[in-house]
């Protein structure tokens, strides 16, 4: 669940301040070392270190890739929804193409569909050589706060 206070477009410095705001240390994204480099409702870019996010065989954990994908898609949907709304994930799936043992991975989330009630993103995660590691798709309900308010009325 992501609550947006980000502007429609934000410079990398603004994003760093947002993800490191008070309380952010308690988020999974912060614990995994995810950094946002670019964020609009249409496109998001984030990085994550492999170190600290490995499975027992010494490779990047597939679940870590899914966390990166869901983080980017949820933030994009929250930006799309506008301030004061939250975005809740509805579905996420991922195909893992190859392993990586070290370095930094980069996720690029591209909006597939943005409506008032559903936001869908394709997220491509690559290694430092630009090789595709994972392709994920996430669907998010970006106006959940409004839907909940109407349901309670």
């Amino acid at each position: 669940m992501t609550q947006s206070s980000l502007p429609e477009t934000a410079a990398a410095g603004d994003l760093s301040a947002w993800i490191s705001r008070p309380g952010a240390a308690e988020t999974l994204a912060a614990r995994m070392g995810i950094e946002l480099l670019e964020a609009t409702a249409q496109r998001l870019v984030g990085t994550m270190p492999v170190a600290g996010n490995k499975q027992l065989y010494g490779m990047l954990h597939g679940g870590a890739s899914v966390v990166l994908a869901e983080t980017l898609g949820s933030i994009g949907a929250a930006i799309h929804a506008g301030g004061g709304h939250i975005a809740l994930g509805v579905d996420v799936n991922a195909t893992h193409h190859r392993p990586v043992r070290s370095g930094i991975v980069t996720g690029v989330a591209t909006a597939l569909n943005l409506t008032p009630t559903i936001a869908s993103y394709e997220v491509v995660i690559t290694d430092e050589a630009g090789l595709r590691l994972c392709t994920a798709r996430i669907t998010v309900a970006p106006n959940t706060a409004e839907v909940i308010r109407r349901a309670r009325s």
Side-chain angles (χ1 to χ4, degrees):
M1 177 168 61
T2 304
Q3 186 154 1
S4 173
S5 60
L6 284 173
E8 174 59 25
T9 59
D14 296 332
L15 293 171
S16 297
W18 183 79
I19 203 166
S20 61
R21 71 198 182 286
E26 294 299 316
T27 67
L28 184 56
R31 289 183 178 165
M32 295 185 73
I34 294 173
E35 292 186 27
L36 295 173
L37 305 177
E38 177 183 330
T40 67
Q42 292 75 29
R43 183 174 191 269
L44 299 98
V45 179
T47 61
M48 180 180 68
V50 173
N53 294 314
K54 296 180 181 182
Q55 37 89 314
L56 293 175
Y57 299 113
M59 297 174 280
L60 179 66
H61 195 291
S65 294
V66 173
V67 168
L68 177 58
E70 186 157 0
T71 297
L72 295 174
S74 294
I75 291 171
I79 293 169
H80 169 63
H85 293 282
I86 60 173
L88 297 176
V90 175
D91 179 68
V92 63
N93 65 66
T95 300
H96 306 288
H97 306 292
R98 66 179 59 232
V100 63
R101 294 183 178 277
S102 63
I104 302 291
V105 298
T106 300
V108 177
T110 304
L112 299 173
N113 188 38
L114 297 174
T115 72
T117 57
I118 292 290
S120 296
Y121 291 86
E122 177 185 56
V123 184
V124 175
I125 300 172
T126 58
D127 65 11
E128 292 174 315
L131 297 173
R132 188 180 291 226
L133 306 173
C134 176
T135 304
R137 187 186 50 112
I138 176 169
T139 302
V140 182
N143 267 329
T144 307
E146 179 63 21
V147 171
I148 292 170
R149 186 191 63 73
R150 278 186 280 163
R152 290 182 180 163
S153 299

